[in-house]
Amino acid sequence: KTGENPQYFPLGTFRGNVNKSGGEYGMRFQYFYHPGYKTLTGNLMVKNRYHGIWMYRSFNIVLSGTFAENYKSVEMRWCDNVHIHDSRFRGVSQRTKDLSRPPYFTKRCDDRYLPPVGYRMQAQIYDWNKFEDLGILPAANNRGARLTDVHFSEFDHTDECAASVPLSFDTGNVRGEYAHWNYASSLRNVTFGG
């Protein structure tokens, strides 16, 4: 029964989470099927080796905060109806590159510390009808991502960090007979620069 399975328990609201220099993930969530919103506000995810926040197979996610100098600051894989608002994404600053250059440390953006990606989103809706079939979500509420009042900076480099990007799409994970792109994302007051 869904009522006895922790995957269907409400995740609730997380506020003011801070994670700096984590080994792999600042925060990692997967398989949350409760129809309520999973809300993570006021996050500060800085210099985590792989992901600031990584979510897998979930939906109805609301996220805000500052995400800086992670390899992938936020990645939502097979997550539908995502809203990221009032957030700042930062690649890697010149100051960090200066402070971490050889001979003292390994330089940024080499084979050990990959060039930053701000937000990585999927290219295909996870499952249009799965949650309706389970009786826990009405149809047509299962959509892509909305970014509102989001600023991306420190991704424009001409050195070893030139491969940094503020937004990327996971086109290698498109499934199905027709393998089409149907993840409907919208951007409102999203800015790039600095």
Side-chain angles (χ1 to χ4, degrees):
K1 294 180 182 178
T2 60
E4 298 171 356
N5 186 335
Q7 294 177 339
Y8 298 92
F9 290 175
L11 184 60
T13 300
F14 289 76
R15 287 187 181 91
N17 292 285
V18 176
N19 192 294
K20 298 185 284 186
S21 303
E24 292 189 15
Y25 303 97
M27 296 178 81
R28 180 179 175 179
F29 298 92
Q30 58 189 22
Y31 302 107
F32 285 103
Y33 299 136
H34 187 275
Y37 279 87
K38 295 92 185 147
T39 303
L40 298 96
T41 62
N43 298 286
L44 177 60
M45 301 291 158
V46 180
K47 296 183 181 178
N48 295 288
R49 184 167 181 190
Y50 293 119
H51 291 86
I53 293 181
W54 184 80
M55 282 198 167
Y56 180 71
R57 288 197 175 185
S58 191
F59 61 96
N60 291 349
I61 300 159
V62 178
L63 180 67
S64 71
T66 298
F67 308 93
E69 302 191 7
N70 304 287
Y71 166 43
K72 292 177 184 163
S73 282
V74 174
E75 181 168 13
M76 303 286 184
R77 191 162 179 206
W78 299 122
C79 292
D80 301 327
N81 196 24
V82 175
H83 183 203
I84 300 174
H85 66 94
D86 301 312
S87 296
R88 296 180 306 154
F89 289 79
R90 208 169 106 186
V92 60
S93 69
Q94 186 60 47
R95 181 177 170 97
T96 294
K97 289 191 279 187
D98 291 343
L99 291 172
S100 61
R101 69 177 177 242
Y104 306 106
F105 300 100
T106 303
K107 65 183 177 181
R108 301 298 294 188
C109 305
D110 63 6
D111 59 345
R112 207 169 148 220
Y113 296 99
L114 302 168
V117 173
Y119 173 52
R120 186 170 191 237
M121 66 182 85
Q122 62 204 37
Q124 191 176 37
I125 293 290
Y126 169 50
D127 194 329
W128 282 101
N129 299 312
K130 175 177 183 160
F131 305 111
E132 179 189 12
D133 294 343
L134 292 171
I136 61 172
L137 187 69
N141 201 15
N142 207 11
R143 297 292 184 263
R146 291 174 295 149
L147 279 69
T148 307
D149 298 320
V150 175
H151 180 68
F152 294 90
S153 63
E154 303 284 356
F155 289 96
D156 190 16
H157 301 277
T158 57
D159 55 12
E160 68 271 9
C161 295
S164 300
V165 293
L167 290 168
S168 73
F169 300 91
D170 184 4
T171 58
N173 258 333
V174 177
R175 308 177 303 177
E177 180 180 350
Y178 301 106
H180 60 283
W181 185 318
N182 65 3
Y183 196 73
S185 296
S186 66
L187 287 70
R188 182 175 176 223
N189 197 23
V190 173
T191 57
F192 302 86

